[in-house]
Amino acid sequence: MQTNKETSMPVINTLKSTARNLAAASALSLLMAGSALAFEGNSVAERLKELYAAQGGQINYQSVETSGSTVVLKGASVRAPGAPAQEKAIELGDITLSNVSDAPDGGYNIGQAAIPDMTFPFEGTTISVKGMDMENLHLAPKSSSDPLASILYYQKAEIDEITVSQAGNDIAMLQDIVATVSPFKEGTPIDYTWDVDKIGIDMSKAPPSKGKETLTALGYEKITGHIDSRGSWSVPDGRFKLDQFDLVMDDGGTLGMTLDLGGYTLDFIKGVQETQATLADNPDNDAAGLAMLGLLQQLTVNGASVRFDDASLTNKLLDYFANQQGSDRVTVINQAKAVLPLFAGYLKNAAFATQVTQAVSAYLDNPKSLEIRAAPSAPVPVAVLMATGSAQPEKLPDVLGVTVTANK
């Protein structure tokens, strides 16, 4: 008679054998699945190039190297969207794409794209860009039905520093620039932010000019500040909102803007990109210029505002002008308030002119804030604004529902 130990051995051996076979089969299936989904570096680079071209730009590279999940575009160069074809491309060096993988939709996901530091001339100055990278990029396949398939979509972009130099001197610097974009979800607007943590301008190193002289006299030889911005975009209906754009000047004030547009659709964006490309190659192309005007007429204005919150700039300006005249701040304020009705009269809209005069006078007496806000009762087509501005410009404040307020 067999013991329990003896009868159990075949069972145990069978289980061990089965486990080994399952493990081997699982490892083989994972290996085969990985091979089937493994991306091809050249295809990733080519799709990146195609999507950037669809936005009016151009990326070129000499070769592609792939190692694991990393793809390197060797000897890359770039031409920004809208740049003339004859303009020399910016030589970048090697663009490194890290954590690259196949996406479920047949495209590619890129964990990070590191852009080499670059320096290029621009209108008599030299601009240097350092520490630029993008995170969580998605390259949709050509066959995708995703409405954003033709857009180079990312969720975060960073630049450590942008420096503007003249004659070898650093005049302006922007540091820690960060842009974020929320993932696209059907039926939900895309939220975005765009911030600059530090802005620095050193007028002492700028060439002599009237502007430099004035800023120095105001005590702004060195200017610091930052930018905070956020908004949203609804893809289906093209509703674009700039909920906040605050340009903050330390010890000066904050210039804030908002904007609410309709009609900013994918078709509109595509049309603008195509027209920009035509104008870049031929700036004198009248047909392209008219086409751009036609595109703008597709937009509607739902609202907008410009606001300044003072932090000592206004009184410094008043004292500056008083010193220029050999008088005092009170005298300058009274002079300004005396001529305000005259200038407001040029608006040819009595009610609005009165509103402007009262608001500006109140602000000059006690500089806290001054705001111009457009809040039409219904969206106003840009075509209507252009027609009104051409035929009856005095009616524009009424059409847009413009108000001017001080210290509120």
Side-chain angles (χ1 to χ4, degrees), residues 54 68 73 98 129 277 334 349 356:
L73 280 60
S98 305
V129 181
N334 289 332
N349 184 321
V356 171

Side-chain angles (χ1 to χ4, degrees), residues 262-318:
Y264 196 80
T265 62
L266 287 168
D267 287 339
F268 172 80
I269 295 172
K270 183 179 180 181
V272 170
Q273 290 170 346
E274 292 173 347
T275 306
Q276 283 180 328
T278 302
L279 287 171
D281 294 336
N282 184 5
D284 298 323
N285 190 315
D286 293 336
L290 290 172
M292 184 67 79
L293 286 174
L295 285 167
L296 291 175
Q297 292 184 33
Q298 297 177 23
L299 300 175
T300 61
V301 177
N302 303 310
S305 70
V306 178
R307 178 186 176 95
F308 181 72
D309 287 278
D310 186 71
S312 81
L313 175 60
T314 303
N315 282 334
K316 288 180 180 179
L317 283 169
L318 291 171

Side-chain angles (χ1 to χ4, degrees), residues 363-400:
Y363 177 77
L364 290 174
D365 286 334
N366 183 21
K368 291 183 178 179
S369 67
L370 186 65
E371 182 177 40
I372 304 172
R373 179 174 292 274
S377 57
V380 182
V382 170
V384 171
L385 294 178
M386 294 175 68
T388 304
S390 176
Q392 295 177 297
E394 70 276 6
K395 296 289 186 181
L396 282 174
D398 299 329
V399 171
L400 284 169

Side-chain angles (χ1 to χ4, degrees), residues 173 196-201 223-227 247-250:
M173 184 179 297
V196 181
D197 187 61
K198 184 179 180 180
I199 299 173
I201 301 174
I223 301 171
T224 59
H226 63 274
I227 294 174
L247 173 58
V248 180
M249 176 183 178
D250 296 335

Side-chain angles (χ1 to χ4, degrees), residues 5-16:
K5 181 176 180 181
E6 290 172 333
T7 56
S8 64
M9 286 300 294
V11 177
I12 294 174
N13 290 335
T14 300
L15 290 173
K16 288 182 178 179

